[in-house]
Amino acid sequence: MRVVRWVGARLARAILVVWLVATIVFFALRATGDPLEAILGGPGSQAGEEATDRAREAYGLDRPLVVQYLSQLWRIATLQLGDSYARRQPVLDLVAAQLPATLVLAFFSLLLAWALAVVGVVIVASARGRAVRPLGGLLRGVEVIATVTPQFWLGAVLILVFAAGWGVLPATSAGLDPAGLVLPVVTLAIPIAGFLSLVLRESLEEADRAPFATTVRARGASEIRLRLRHTLRHAVLPALALSGWAFGSLISGAVVVESLFARPGLGRLLLDGAMQRDVPLVIGAVVVVALLYVAVVIITDALELVIDPRLRGRHPRLLRAPDVAVGS
């Protein structure tokens, strides 16, 4: 029953998230104007009144707004997302074609963000001597700057330096080209790395003052061994819990980054659909992103159970690991 409750609670959250996202997007798009423009071919369409009436009736736009909203929710519940108004193709096909490129970008960006955060925090925590203490202060400043750096500005600077200036990396990115992935991945990763680093450093400093850290030092363990085998494992938990948020931030940042680097992906698809008031396309893409976000949050919850055995007293034993205390 504990397993059922654990799974049921997360399914309920997933349904709530999808409903909220679909509702906000539906009414926001309708508030910007009539989607009939996208159906008839965009701005400047010369469709007559009879053709306009037929299109409005065919797409159900002549019905009350509440009825259209409920119909949209039913299509989402049955995974019948319909066809794009502007592209005349099934929404699921369009999303499936663009999703892999965005997932690759988000995955490598999150991986790089974690690597930068962990390395930076370990260096800062180890900078205790007088000779290396300025390095720790410098890295702390870099953390704060990275956290507040706008991605569109950072991406533009990277293009000017590495593409236009030095010519070592391409300014555009297409598909899975390794060279083309470097600048978009770095652009997305640096702000997330700064935020994760701040959380990790605070948790690591707290773990360094914990009783178990004192015990490990008393046994003669070096500071590096203490951090790598004990305190870092403890400090990772708060940042790991924020990885779901980080993934959502990466997907939203992909809208800017994919446009800036002329990269195909879900971000550009969403932006184009929003500009065209393509309601089925935008709602379908956003629902898929919401489901991915929920899936990542569930994975991070499960990883927390593996890393910290103390949490298994409050959660069902979905995943088993050796019952070793975090600081032991």
Side-chain angles (χ1 to χ4, degrees):
M1 291 303 296
R2 295 177 66 189
V3 174
V4 171
R5 285 197 300 269
W6 193 88
V7 174
R10 279 146 184 82
L11 287 177
R13 291 178 190 175
I15 293 172
L16 178 62
V17 168
V18 170
W19 172 71
L20 287 173
V21 166
T23 300
I24 292 171
V25 171
F26 177 84
F27 286 106
L29 286 176
R30 293 308 303 268
T32 61
D34 194 343
L36 195 64
E37 183 179 283
I39 297 173
L40 296 176
S45 173
Q46 301 298 319
E49 183 177 351
E50 183 178 352
T52 301
D53 291 340
R54 284 201 305 268
R56 193 178 296 276
E57 181 179 359
Y59 285 89
L61 298 177
D62 57 336
R63 295 180 293 176
L65 186 61
V66 174
V67 176
Q68 296 179 43
Y69 166 67
L70 294 176
S71 299
Q72 182 66 59
L73 291 183
W74 174 251
R75 287 195 291 271
I76 293 173
T78 57
L79 296 180
Q80 301 295 323
L81 300 179
D83 294 343
S84 164
Y85 288 163
R87 302 174 185 243
R88 304 294 195 275
Q89 297 179 46
V91 169
L92 285 178
D93 291 348
L94 291 171
V95 171
Q98 300 298 327
L99 184 60
T102 299
L103 288 180
V104 167
L105 181 62
F107 172 78
F108 283 109
S109 299
L110 188 59
L111 196 64
L112 178 61
W114 264 101
L116 292 174
V118 170
V119 171
V121 165
V122 170
I123 293 175
V124 170
S126 302
R128 296 181 181 273
R130 182 174 298 178
V132 296
R133 192 171 296 166
L135 176 61
L138 176 63
L139 289 177
R140 288 188 179 93
V142 171
E143 289 174 358
V144 176
I145 294 173
T147 303
V148 299
T149 300
Q151 289 171 332
F152 68 88
W153 179 85
L154 178 59
V157 170
L158 292 176
I159 290 174
L160 287 175
V161 174
F162 293 97
W166 296 346
V168 295
L169 291 170
T172 59
S173 175
L176 301 179
D177 176 33
L181 270 172
V182 173
L183 293 183
V185 165
V186 172
T187 301
L188 280 175
I190 286 180
I192 300 297
F195 186 84
L196 291 176
S197 183
L198 289 173
V199 176
L200 274 172
R201 181 164 53 81
E202 183 177 348
S203 301
L204 188 61
E205 291 174 354
E206 181 181 349
D208 274 341
R209 297 189 296 267
F212 75 82
T214 304
T215 302
V216 174
R217 288 191 183 98
R219 293 174 181 171
S222 65
E223 290 295 321
I224 294 179
R225 180 182 177 88
L226 170 65
R227 291 193 182 91
L228 293 180
R229 297 197 59 181
H230 303 281
T231 56
L232 188 59
R233 180 183 176 189
H234 185 281
V236 158
L237 288 172
L240 181 63
L242 293 173
S243 292
W245 165 84
F247 177 81
S249 178
L250 290 171
I251 295 295
S252 63
V255 175
V256 175
V257 171
E258 288 175 353
S259 299
L260 184 63
F261 290 95
R263 176 180 172 81
L266 198 58
R268 290 188 67 187
L269 187 69
L270 268 171
L271 182 61
D272 293 343
M275 296 295 292
Q276 297 168 338
R277 301 193 188 100
D278 196 335
V279 178
L281 177 59
V282 175
I283 290 181
V286 169
V287 164
V288 170
V289 170
L291 290 174
L292 288 172
Y293 170 78
V294 172
V296 171
V297 169
I298 292 175
I299 292 172
T300 55
D301 285 349
L303 287 176
E304 284 186 80
L305 298 179
V306 173
I307 295 174
D308 192 350
R310 297 172 302 177
L311 297 177
R312 293 178 217 150
R314 302 194 298 268
H315 296 278
R317 296 178 181 270
L318 294 178
L319 297 173
R320 294 183 177 273
D323 292 326
V324 179
V326 170
S328 63

